[in-house]
């Protein structure tokens, strides 16, 4: 059974300790209940996908206590400052160019060179961020494909036993997901949400762009696929001499996703290992077979995309 925690200081401190220990804690924000994990802990982030049963690794929004923390992870700009001043804390996520050596798990950004960050407004979310004192990765706290939860009961209906605890703060105020604005180029509306487009445009003094070549109904999908430079060969039973090799389980290889064939560890290592193999500079990467069970489905989904002809 997942623990049900209250907003008491003792319970909030406990929730912070759980996140610090790599466990999952659902918590209310002003938008919906989030499924939180330490954004610097790859295994913890992998468990978010496992608990939700997400079939693919979409990048996650990182929740922080204050804009000053956001600046440590994302490259800041005047526009970012303007939007943060106007809408944080609140239901606006900013996609910023990722800084180097942030300590964030590469699974949080799904291997991209951008990071989505927001400062949530809910009191309990802020209390939890203060108790944990670090960045919390959190998608909505529902099984994949189900509607977003706005009460602790909704969370437990979908995720009981799959998470360590839920912090019960009553119903969420907004009930809509955060608006996502991309700031890696000209300010772009990546997803409509709790902050209306017009309000953002009024503050900026100019219109937001729409994502190129995609409908708003496919939020953020456009630029959200990391793929290595090298060609990728999947389900390799043997290695060719000119390949960089990515193993799984006991085997000889350049890098191993998990020597113990642990899919959580493999998920946590996936993007980092692909980046490192790519950086070794070969033209080809071969990947050992990964079982299609549990997180293996999401790993294989991403590997397939990486291997697709481009
Ligand atoms: P949510 O489902 O509310 O957790 O929102 C996650 C969505 O935010 C993703 O599906 C993307 O659309 C967007 N997003 C998160 N991180 C990034 C990123 N690093 N770069 C671009 N878009 C992102
Ligand atoms: Mg969701």
């Amino acid at each position: 059974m997942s623990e049900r925690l209250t907003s008491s200081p003792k319970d909030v401190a406990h929730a912070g300790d759980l996140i610090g220990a790599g466990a999952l804690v659902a918590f209310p924000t002003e938008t919906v209940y989030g499924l939180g994990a330490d954004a610097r802990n790859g295994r913890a982030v992998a468990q978010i996908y496992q608990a939700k049963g997400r079939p693919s690794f979409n990048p996650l929004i990182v929740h922080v206590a204050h804009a000053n923390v956001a600046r440590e992870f994302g490259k800041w700009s005047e526009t970012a400052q303007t939007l943060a001043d106007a809408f944080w804390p609140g239901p606006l996520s900013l996609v910023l160019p990722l800084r180097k050596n942030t300590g964030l798990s590469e699974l949080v950004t799904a291997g991209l060179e951008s990071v989505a960050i927001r400062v949530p407004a809910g009191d309990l979310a802020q209390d939890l961020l203060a108790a944990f004192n670090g960045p919390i990765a959190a998608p909505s706290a529902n099984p994949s494909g189900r509607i977003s939860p706005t009460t602790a009961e909704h969370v437990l209906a979908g995720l009981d036993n799959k998470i360590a605890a839920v912090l019960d703060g009553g119903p969420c105020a907004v009930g809509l997901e955060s608006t996502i604005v991309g700031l890696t180029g000209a300010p772009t509306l990546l997803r409509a949400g709790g902050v209306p487009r017009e309000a953002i445009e009024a503050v900026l003094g100019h219109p937001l762009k729409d994502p190129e070549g995609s409908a708003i109904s496919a939020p953020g999908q456009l630029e959200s696929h990391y793929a290595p430079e090298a060609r990728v060969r999947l389900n390799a039973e043997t290695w060719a001499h000119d390949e960089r090799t990515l193993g799984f389980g006991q085997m000889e290889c350049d890098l191993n996703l998990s020597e113990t064939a642990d899919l959580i560890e493999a998920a946590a290592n996936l993007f980092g290992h692909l980046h490192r193999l790519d950086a070794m500079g070969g033209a080809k990467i071969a990947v050992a077979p990964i079982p299609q069970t549990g997180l293996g489905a999401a790993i294989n989904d991403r590997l397939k995309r990486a291997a697709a002809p481009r």
Side-chain angles (χ1 to χ4, degrees), residues 5 14 33 37 49 51 61 101 105 138 145 156 163 176 179 184 195 200 211 260 267 289:
L5 303 173
H14 178 51
Y33 273 70
Y49 291 94
I61 295 169
N101 305 318
S105 149
L156 290 173
I163 61 179
L176 272 180
T179 301
T184 55
V195 176
I200 298 168
T260 58

Side-chain angles (χ1 to χ4, degrees), residues 79-128:
T79 309
Q81 187 66 47
T82 302
L83 294 178
D85 285 343
F87 299 110
W88 281 357
L92 176 70
S93 299
L94 299 179
V95 175
L96 304 170
L98 180 66
R99 284 189 191 280
K100 298 238 183 286
N101 305 318
T102 58
L104 291 176
S105 149
E106 277 155 310
L107 194 53
V108 166
T109 53
L112 297 172
E113 306 210 329
S114 55
V115 59
I117 313 186
R118 85 178 187 99
V119 176
D123 286 346
L124 203 42
Q126 281 292 337
D127 292 348
L128 178 64

Side-chain angles (χ1 to χ4, degrees), residues 231 233 236-248 251-257 273-274 276-278 280 282 284-288:
R231 264 193 295 136
R233 182 168 74 89
E237 302 281 356
T238 56
W239 306 138
H241 70 277
D242 60 342
E243 290 175 327
R244 303 292 177 190
T245 57
L246 184 59
F248 180 81
M251 61 181 68
E252 293 278 316
C253 52
D254 290 315
L255 290 176
N256 200 317
L257 287 171
H273 279 14
L274 284 174
R276 279 183 277 283
L277 288 172
D278 221 12
M280 289 177 191
K284 294 182 203 159
I285 296 173
V287 186

Side-chain angles (χ1 to χ4, degrees), residues 12 31 33 50 58 120 124 138 150 181 211 215 239 249 281 285:
V12 173
T31 60
Y33 273 70
Q50 168 136 312
N58 305 321
L124 203 42
T150 53
V181 170
W239 306 138
I285 296 173

Side-chain angles (χ1 to χ4, degrees), residues 110-161:
L112 297 172
E113 306 210 329
S114 55
V115 59
I117 313 186
R118 85 178 187 99
V119 176
D123 286 346
L124 203 42
Q126 281 292 337
D127 292 348
L128 178 64
L129 284 163
F132 171 58
N133 194 25
I136 298 180
S140 56
N142 53 284
S144 182
R146 304 253 295 270
I147 58 167
S148 296
T150 53
T151 65
E153 287 75 26
H154 294 163
V155 172
L156 290 173
L159 296 176
D160 196 11
N161 296 324

Side-chain angles (χ1 to χ4, degrees), residues 59 92-96 112 114-116 178-193 197 200 208-212 214-224:
L92 176 70
S93 299
L94 299 179
V95 175
L96 304 170
L112 297 172
S114 55
V115 59
S178 64
T179 301
I180 304 178
V181 170
L183 294 180
T184 55
T188 302
L189 184 67
L190 296 176
R191 179 177 77 188
R197 172 181 203 137
I200 298 168
L208 287 165
K209 280 191 14 180
D210 289 310
E212 267 154 43
S214 92
I216 292 287
S217 62
Q221 290 302 308
L222 47 143
E223 48 181 337
S224 67

